[in-house]
Amino acid sequence: MNRCLALALCALLPATAQAGELADAAAAVESAVTANDFAAWQSAAAALETKLWFSAGLHFGTLTLVSAQSTGYGVYQSRADNVYAQGEPILIYAEPKGYGYGDAGNGMYEIAFDIDLIVKDTASGEVLLESPALMQITYQAMVPAREFVANLNYTLGTAPPGSYTLETVFHDRHGGQQASFTSDIVIR
């Protein structure tokens, strides 16, 4: 990493975060780069990445309807459309970001979410179904993993033909925060 890249990282920080911990962490990266100290650069860059991770709060990277369950982070096949047959599984690939970590014991970190589903009629906005804590997802690793994928699998059973909005709400058990996203689908 060169000095220009370190300065670019500083420029990417939100204006409200220029002062304080984020700016100090970015300055430490720049200082290590200027000193050509690779070990210090790695340590300072990791500290900056961690501060940036938590400063954004729980949010999502890639969100897409998929034709098959993902086999790993960044490994998915987007579905060609959002039209489903009655009873057909609705698969969603979701990349949560900014979540917290718990201590799973034995040096392991844990990522854990409770997930709600809210189904609405797209045209009227009427809530047709609310399923709190419909599913739980947990993942454990030896490091605080930041590349995590949630494979969501919904089936609306015998829902009549129509347009529906699926609101998925993630509750971060270890970070104490929540975030949601919507997916519009059509049942034919």
Side-chain angles (χ1 to χ4, degrees):
M1 182 165 157
N2 60 33
R3 181 180 168 97
C4 291
L5 185 53
L7 291 173
L9 279 173
C10 292
L12 291 174
L13 295 175
T16 57
Q18 287 293 326
E21 292 183 11
L22 290 175
D24 292 345
V29 172
E30 182 179 6
S31 176
V33 169
T34 302
N36 289 323
D37 184 342
F38 184 72
W41 168 80
Q42 279 189 310
S43 177
L48 175 59
E49 182 181 12
T50 297
K51 289 182 185 316
L52 288 169
W53 176 263
F54 290 114
S55 71
L58 183 62
H59 63 284
F60 299 94
T62 301
L63 294 166
T64 188
L65 297 171
V66 292
S67 55
Q69 262 198 340
S70 170
T71 57
Y73 184 84
V75 182
Y76 60 90
Q77 179 63 47
S78 291
R79 187 178 167 98
D81 61 28
N82 68 339
V83 179
Y84 295 84
Q86 197 173 47
E88 181 180 358
I90 301 159
L91 305 176
I92 301 172
Y93 173 93
E95 292 177 358
K97 308 279 186 188
Y99 44 79
Y101 302 96
D103 181 355
N106 297 320
M108 301 284 284
Y109 293 87
E110 182 180 73
I111 300 165
F113 297 104
D114 293 320
I115 300 172
D116 304 343
L117 173 63
I118 302 165
V119 179
K120 299 176 185 177
D121 177 274
T122 302
S124 70
E126 177 187 356
V127 173
L128 304 172
L129 173 72
E130 289 187 73
S131 293
L134 177 65
M135 63 180 81
Q136 291 76 39
I137 296 176
T138 58
Y139 178 77
Q140 296 179 356
M142 293 300 293
V143 297
R146 293 198 177 110
E147 293 185 347
F148 177 74
V149 62
N151 282 304
L152 306 174
N153 184 340
Y154 300 135
T155 303
L156 297 185
T158 59
S163 296
Y164 299 93
T165 298
L166 309 180
E167 181 178 358
T168 301
V169 183
F170 276 60
H171 299 273
D172 178 0
R173 278 191 252 154
H174 297 299
Q177 51 192 335
Q178 73 177 40
S180 65
F181 63 89
T182 59
S183 305
D184 290 324
I185 61 133
V186 175
I187 303 290
R188 298 264 164 147

